[in-house]
Amino acid sequence: MSFDFTTVPARLGTDSQKWQKYPATDILPMWVADMDFRSSPAIIEALHRRVEHGIFGYARPVKSTVDAVVDACASRYGWAIDPAWIIWLPGLVCGLNVTAQAFAAPGEEVLCLTPVYPPFMTAPKNSGRVSVTVPLAFRAGPSGRADGTWEIDWTALEAAVTPRTKLFFLCNPHNPVARVFRRDELARLAEFCARHDLILCSDEIHCDLILDPSLPHLPTALVAPEHASRTVTLMAPSKTYNVPGLGTSFAIIPDSALRARFVRATAGIVAEVTTLGFAACEAAYRDSEDWRQGLLATLRSHRDHLTATLGTGALSGIRLEAPLEATYLAWLNVSALGLADPVAHFEAHGVGLSDGRFFGAKPGDYVRLNFGCPRATLDEALRRFAAAVSAVP
Ligand SMILES: Cc1ncc(COP(=O)(O)O)c(C=O)c1O
């Protein structure tokens, strides 16, 4: 069966947060991480069936929904999870905030590696915890084009730990640098957390979007089973199957005491997952694998196109520094353009990007491009990129 990843959908004027940002202007929104693709036909059919039932009471997942998640963890990553370990959440930003409140007290510290998805830094602060950031170290490759590596700076990480450090937020695969951390790095990170008695929260929301087929997803809790009792894994169908608007995610917490602390922190505040969310989640994990493979093929082709064109010719001022191993998000170094506000400059030339400074980068140095869109949209964005570069004074 073939799927449509080429039709440009009409999203302007809909409830899309991504498209509402530029309502009356000709700016292509390529910022927030949702894709301009329809979800899988299996998900859309499951939602139709659920809507047809016509009753939308308070929801609990049925066994087949839980089985879909458990089976996906087993078949995709070889991770045998107990259904009792799953705690359903309406979103993973919510999961990060709950984790910060559950495992650090006000004034205590939460570590993360930057640049990173902004809620990793804001979640601790939202409740009076302290975010401590440790920059990833960039090692340039021989060609200087898309062959560098973002590595963990172990010395800096050790130096950042204080008696107040309680928690480590990992993003794997990493948004925005698109890196898949390797087994040895994950094992070392788990050992680091154990040695300093930190809870390790591993946000794996992008784990089914690995573009490099030689890199399997390694759940942190599975890589270091001896430390699994201190892990909180966050997952969701939202990024991969383009259903973030349905608010369905989950934490996997093997240790019962940790789970109880996490659940206590949700009490009375965290909303239930909805009936439609459960229906979509089940169809995503159980019935959408062929669609996901089609999506990955499309994203790989976009990635190859970006890798071949950025940093050369008319796009020489926009550099992709490291391989896009996962996600549909490209972290672009635009410092050579010397712009104080690159996002405003690109918007003035019709492309809406995410500003790297919110991810912890120096203002003016980086922007993030979402290439989860039809090729025609990406090509138009690249055309506008070229015009934006040539217009730099
Ligand atoms: C690493 C990471 N975690 C969480 C989220 C957001 O999750 P949710 O929409 O479930 O709150 C994103 C969205 O881009 C993300 O990249």
Side-chain angles (χ1 to χ4, degrees):
M1 187 172 180
S2 70
F3 302 99
D4 180 5
F5 296 105
T6 52
T7 302
V8 178
R11 299 188 74 188
L12 201 59
T14 71
D15 59 11
S16 161
Q17 191 182 120
K18 183 180 182 183
W19 284 79
Q20 278 184 13
K21 185 168 181 194
Y22 306 111
T25 48
D26 179 23
I27 297 177
L28 288 175
M30 307 192 82
W31 62 290
V32 70
D34 77 29
M35 300 186 284
D36 290 335
F37 298 126
R38 280 165 64 85
S39 297
S40 74
I43 292 175
I44 295 168
E45 278 163 29
L47 289 171
H48 275 301
R49 277 197 304 276
R50 187 62 193 83
V51 167
E52 203 45 48
H53 183 65
I55 301 174
F56 309 106
Y58 295 117
R60 284 275 179 277
V62 292
K63 184 173 179 305
S64 52
T65 305
V66 177
D67 285 350
V69 170
V70 171
D71 293 348
C73 285
S75 62
R76 293 179 193 183
Y77 333 122
W79 191 19
I81 62 165
D82 182 328
W85 300 352
I86 301 172
I87 297 162
W88 294 91
L89 295 165
L92 283 197
V93 171
C94 168
L96 291 167
N97 281 269
V98 168
T99 305
Q101 295 194 29
F103 303 115
E108 290 184 331
E109 295 165 3
V110 183
L111 284 173
C112 67
L113 305 169
T114 54
V116 76
Y117 179 59
F120 276 55
M121 295 176 280
T122 53
K125 294 182 203 165
N126 286 340
S127 56
R129 281 72 177 162
V130 179
S131 169
V132 175
T133 57
V134 177
L136 286 163
F138 179 70
R139 191 161 49 83
S143 82
R145 278 192 56 229
D147 60 352
T149 320
W150 291 92
E151 294 175 344
I152 298 173
D153 181 341
W154 297 102
T155 311
L157 192 55
E158 291 287 350
V161 177
T162 77
R164 291 179 305 283
T165 315
K166 298 294 165 194
L167 182 59
F168 184 94
F169 277 164
L170 173 69
C171 190
N172 184 41
H174 190 92
N175 171 12
V177 305
R179 173 108 205 279
V180 175
F181 288 107
R182 307 301 198 261
R183 184 179 291 278
D184 59 328
E185 293 170 296
L186 296 173
R188 188 167 171 185
L189 215 41
E191 181 278 327
F192 163 85
C193 288
R195 188 157 34 82
H196 294 291
D197 195 20
L198 312 182
I199 302 299
L200 171 47
C201 174
S202 185
D203 180 331
E204 301 178 7
I205 196 170
H206 296 283
C207 70
D208 291 325
L209 288 168
I210 295 183
L211 303 177
D212 185 335
S214 70
L215 296 174
H217 174 61
L218 302 170
T220 310
L222 184 63
V223 167
E226 68 280 25
H227 303 307
S229 60
R230 62 176 64 251
T231 59
V232 172
T233 303
L234 301 176
M235 288 185 174
S238 47
K239 296 291 139 188
T240 310
Y241 302 94
N242 213 25
V243 288
L246 291 172
T248 305
S249 332
F250 47 91
I252 302 176
I253 309 180
D255 183 77
S256 61
L258 240 56
R259 212 159 53 235
R261 282 170 73 184
F262 186 95
V263 169
R264 212 174 308 124
T266 66
I269 299 175
V270 174
E272 309 260 351
V273 168
T274 66
T275 50
L276 295 184
F278 284 129
C281 180
E282 179 172 329
Y285 285 115
R286 196 191 52 212
D287 305 324
S288 304
E289 182 55 12
D290 46 357
W291 181 90
R292 184 176 77 100
Q293 291 305 330
L295 171 72
L296 290 177
T298 303
L299 295 179
R300 268 184 214 118
S301 143
H302 288 14
R303 175 208 47 194
D304 294 346
H305 185 52
L306 284 171
T307 306
T309 52
L310 293 174
T312 61
L315 298 174
S316 58
I318 303 177
R319 289 191 296 124
L320 184 63
E321 299 174 303
L324 288 165
E325 295 175 346
T327 79
Y328 47 81
L329 306 164
W331 184 238
L332 305 177
N333 186 330
V334 292
S335 59
L337 300 177
L339 297 164
D341 187 349
V343 166
H345 179 80
F346 286 113
E347 282 175 356
H349 291 86
V351 193
L353 303 167
S354 300
D355 194 329
R357 75 193 154 103
F358 299 122
F359 295 72
K362 194 157 129 280
D365 279 0
Y366 285 90
V367 292
R368 193 192 70 174
L369 168 79
N370 172 348
F371 62 89
C373 59
R375 177 62 184 262
T377 309
L378 183 60
D379 281 343
E380 178 58 19
L382 290 174
R383 198 188 61 72
R384 295 178 186 199
F385 259 3
V389 170
S390 66
V392 172

